[in-house]
């Protein structure tokens, strides 16, 4: 018999020199060549997309956090075609088209959600008219409603975000007249019959009531004209003030009224993910 005192790395308590199962799987996993010889270095594409400095983007690649066309890339010399290839960081898609712009605007009251107005009222052109891009507003807010409005020159994204099939939720804070009856939340979620059909709220929450004025939060994915105002009228609590605070994954947060800001890369990626782009 052999010497049983000899250490065997296969026995419990002894470290194995064999690579882990995960490492062995990665070693034998077929890789797809995503390198485009006449393309742009991947770290430059990431930096141009706002992911950080060139050096920090190189670290993202080395750490295995970047994928191109679904294939993990760790080689710093990799070049890609940003117009034809898709890039993800931490499984979140990023935009590689540097000519595309994605903006969040905190619309004040009495501003028309269009790039011009035949009546001469204040409109979006007064805030972004000096930009060279042709911008689309994603959906619209009525003249009296305030809050978050997305603007972009990415026509496909704009169309998808506006299309009812993607059911993008929009969140509103509303000051309404009167106290909220106990059955209002259920009525709104079950559906309110309006003159253009049934309208459902995804959720409804009473925040507070002070001196006959209630503050409520309502979430819905429909985008019909003045739908929140009409729904609240139907349950006997007409709107005094209405602010959209969230559009899909994008939040208004502390953005000042009348200000425009560029969306962060992670916010853009979240929008792409929401509409399966």
């Amino acid at each position: 018999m052999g010497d049983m005192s000899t250490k065997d790395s296969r026995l419990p308590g002894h470290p194995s020199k064999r690579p882990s199962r995960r490492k062995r799987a990665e070693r034998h996993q077929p890789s797809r060549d995503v390198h485009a010889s006449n393309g742009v270095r991947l770290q430059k594409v990431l930096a141009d997309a706002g992911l950080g400095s060139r050096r920090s983007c190189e670290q993202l690649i080395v750490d295995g956090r970047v994928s191109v066309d679904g294939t993990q890339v760790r080689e710093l010399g990799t070049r890609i075609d940003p117009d034809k290839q898709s890039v993800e960081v931490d499984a979140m898609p990023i935009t590689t088209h540097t000519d595309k712009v994605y903006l969040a605007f905190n619309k004040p009251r009495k501003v028309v959600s269009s790039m011009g107005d035949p009546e001469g009222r204040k409109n979006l052109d007064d805030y972004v008219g000096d930009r060279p891009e042709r911008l689309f507003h994603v959906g619209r807010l009525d003249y009296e409603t305030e809050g978050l409005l997305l603007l972009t020159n990415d026509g496909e994204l704009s169309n998808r975000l506006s299309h009812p099939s993607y059911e993008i939720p929009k969140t509103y804070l509303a000051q309404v007249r009167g106290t909220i009856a106990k059955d209002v939340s259920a009525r709104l979620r079950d559906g309110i019959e309006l003159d253009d059909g049934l309208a459902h709220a995804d959720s409804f929450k009473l925040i507070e009531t002070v001196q006959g004025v209630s503050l409520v939060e309502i979430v819905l994915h429909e985008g019909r004209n003045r739908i929140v105002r009409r729904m609240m009228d139907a349950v006997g609590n007409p709107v005094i003030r209405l602010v959209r605070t969230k559009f899909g994954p994008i939040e208004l947060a502390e953005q000042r009224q009348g200000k425009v800001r560029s969306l962060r890369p992670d916010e853009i990626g979240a929008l792409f993910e929401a509409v399966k782009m």
Side-chain angles (χ1 to χ4, degrees):
M1 290 183 65
D3 182 0
M4 294 297 292
S5 66
T6 301
K7 292 182 179 180
D8 188 337
S9 63
R10 292 171 296 177
L11 295 176
H14 295 282
S16 172
K17 294 181 180 180
R18 298 177 66 198
S20 68
R21 182 178 299 177
R22 180 179 175 183
K23 291 292 185 183
R24 296 197 306 272
E26 289 177 353
R27 179 183 295 174
H28 294 99
Q29 186 176 9
S31 60
R32 177 183 173 191
D33 184 12
V34 297
H35 181 74
S37 58
N38 294 322
V40 182
R41 285 191 182 274
L42 181 55
Q43 55 265 46
K44 182 180 187 304
V45 173
L46 297 176
D48 289 346
L51 272 294
S53 67
R54 189 84 63 93
R55 185 176 295 273
S56 64
C57 290
E58 289 176 351
Q59 193 62 49
L60 290 175
I61 297 170
V62 171
D63 290 343
R65 297 170 60 186
V66 181
S67 297
V68 178
D69 290 343
T71 299
Q72 186 185 65
V73 176
R74 290 178 180 264
E75 175 57 57
L76 290 179
T78 302
R79 293 176 178 271
I80 70 165
D81 184 342
D83 291 326
K84 297 180 180 179
Q85 294 176 279
S86 61
V87 179
E88 294 184 350
V89 176
D90 295 333
M92 183 70 72
I94 67 165
T95 176
T96 57
H97 302 284
T98 56
D99 61 328
K100 301 295 186 187
V101 296
Y102 305 89
L103 308 173
F105 174 49
N106 186 352
K107 184 185 100 62
R109 284 180 66 242
K110 299 189 182 300
V111 173
V112 180
S113 294
S114 66
M115 298 304 292
D117 182 63
E119 299 177 26
R121 295 173 295 180
K122 206 162 193 178
N123 58 78
L124 299 179
D125 190 64
D126 293 298
Y127 296 90
V128 294
D130 59 344
R131 298 189 63 100
E133 308 91 0
R134 180 179 176 230
L135 296 173
F136 307 97
H137 48 87
V138 181
R140 62 177 61 238
L141 294 174
D142 68 57
Y143 188 57
E144 294 291 337
T145 298
E146 311 162 43
L148 182 60
L149 187 65
L150 300 182
L151 304 167
T152 181
N153 61 347
D154 188 332
E156 182 180 2
L157 178 65
S158 177
N159 288 335
R160 291 197 184 199
L161 288 171
S162 303
H163 199 281
S165 65
Y166 290 100
E167 299 188 343
I168 303 300
K170 296 99 176 170
T171 303
Y172 298 83
L173 280 179
Q175 280 185 334
V176 300
R177 297 192 188 280
T179 57
I180 304 298
K182 290 182 178 180
D183 66 342
V184 164
S185 179
R187 289 175 62 193
L188 291 170
R189 285 184 282 109
D190 290 342
I192 298 292
E193 190 66 50
L194 303 177
D195 56 6
D196 55 355
L198 204 62
H200 296 265
D202 297 336
S203 68
F204 179 85
K205 180 170 65 176
L206 171 64
I207 297 173
E208 64 177 12
T209 299
V210 178
Q211 296 181 344
V213 174
S214 297
L215 180 65
V216 300
E217 179 187 85
I218 184 168
V219 180
L220 66 167
H221 59 265
E222 297 192 53
R224 283 182 268 169
N225 185 41
R226 299 174 63 85
I227 188 167
V228 175
R229 296 179 183 276
R230 292 190 290 145
M231 290 175 75
M232 295 310 299
D233 278 344
V235 296
N237 298 103
V239 169
I240 301 170
R241 183 185 179 192
L242 185 61
V243 181
R244 183 157 70 192
T245 59
K246 195 172 180 181
F247 188 106
I250 310 303
E251 296 186 32
L252 187 62
E254 301 301 318
Q255 185 174 341
R256 293 188 338 187
Q257 199 168 80
K259 295 299 181 182
V260 179
R261 71 172 179 89
S262 297
L263 296 185
R264 302 187 309 271
D266 63 301
E267 292 177 308
I268 299 169
L271 285 175
F272 285 177
E273 192 170 46
V275 294
K276 301 177 174 57
M277 282 181 66

